[in-house]
Amino acid sequence: MTGETSGRPVAVVVVEDERDLREEVVDFLTDSGLAVRGAANGAELERLLGEAPADVVVLDLGLPNEDGISIAARLQARPAAPGIVMMTARGRVEERILGYQTGADIYLVKPVDYGELIAAIHATLRNRSAVDRVAPAGEAAPGLAWRYDPAEWRLSAPSGASVRLTRAEAQVLDCLTDDPGRPVSRDTIGLRMGKIADLGEHRYVDQVVSRLRRKVASELGWEAPIGSAHGQGYYIVGSIMRADD
């Protein structure tokens, strides 16, 4: 796996207030061929980005003075926003959802295997490069946003490629995109599909979601933007736009 992009080393900033951990991550990523700098907080990150841009920011959330969520939102507002890999001890479903809604490309919960961290960095770069390739000339890439057209029953990946949905698959996305990021129970999804909510319908909803995930992976080469929360149902992961919004 190469540590370069456009003929130069991948530029990474690791934002972590725990000094020993920050230095350990910086050393490991540097040994892996990346160009890595470390920052203890948001102010240091801004200073480093002022000196040179970053392709990816590895961002802790529990930081002094300014929370990582606020930093991520600020990074996403930049004209050329870096990829964001959140690496944090916060592992609750609600926290992961908030991380994706705020701008995380990938959300990792500590302790993190460093091999997985490197894979996450490169996956972020690949996904963002796919968006750049399909962006019209002179226009900024819209970020890692999916698009759902309920009238056409069509789901489009950030790359621009799309897939035709069945009625049942579209009904699932109708539910999940009403309030993206909020978990929707299987009962609610089943009722939207005209089913009576019981254990059997739960299995039916699971089967539809499973088929949709396989279809997206097979036809688009992307992981479907659908997460599952134990005991709560399904939710949208990342950013998605509805054509009727």
Side-chain angles (χ1 to χ4, degrees), residues 220-244:
L220 301 183
W222 288 70
E223 183 176 347
I226 300 175
S228 57
H230 180 67
Q232 298 182 62
Y234 295 100
Y235 61 92
I236 291 295
V237 174
S239 177
I240 189 167
M241 298 181 294
R242 277 179 60 145
D244 58 349

Side-chain angles (χ1 to χ4, degrees), residues 91-233:
R92 293 190 299 120
V93 170
E94 296 82 358
E95 292 167 328
R96 296 200 301 272
I97 292 173
L98 179 59
Y100 282 116
Q101 289 177 327
T102 309
D105 294 291
I106 296 179
Y107 193 106
L108 302 176
V109 179
K110 297 176 181 176
V112 175
D113 180 87
Y114 291 160
E116 182 181 6
L117 175 58
I118 291 176
I121 290 170
H122 284 281
T124 296
L125 290 172
R126 285 196 304 273
N127 291 343
R128 292 202 167 221
S129 294
V131 173
D132 291 340
R133 286 195 296 272
V134 300
E139 294 185 17
L144 291 179
W146 291 75
R147 180 178 174 84
Y148 169 55
D149 188 333
E152 297 292 332
W153 293 0
R154 187 167 293 277
L155 178 66
S156 300
S159 63
S162 66
V163 64
R164 175 78 174 181
L165 307 174
T166 65
R167 179 181 181 85
E169 292 164 349
Q171 288 172 328
V172 169
L173 284 180
D174 284 341
C175 281
L176 300 186
T177 56
D178 281 344
D179 186 5
R182 179 181 62 84
V184 182
S185 71
R186 290 170 174 82
D187 285 349
T188 299
I189 297 173
L191 290 172
R192 176 72 73 92
M193 300 169 80
K195 304 292 183 179
I196 298 175
D198 60 22
L199 183 58
E201 304 310 336
H202 286 182
R203 287 196 293 269
Y204 175 72
V205 170
D206 291 340
Q207 290 168 358
V208 173
V209 171
S210 179
R211 288 199 302 270
L212 176 55
R213 284 170 165 166
R214 290 197 300 270
K215 176 186 289 186
V216 170
S218 173
E219 298 189 26
L220 301 183
W222 288 70
E223 183 176 347
I226 300 175
S228 57
H230 180 67
Q232 298 182 62

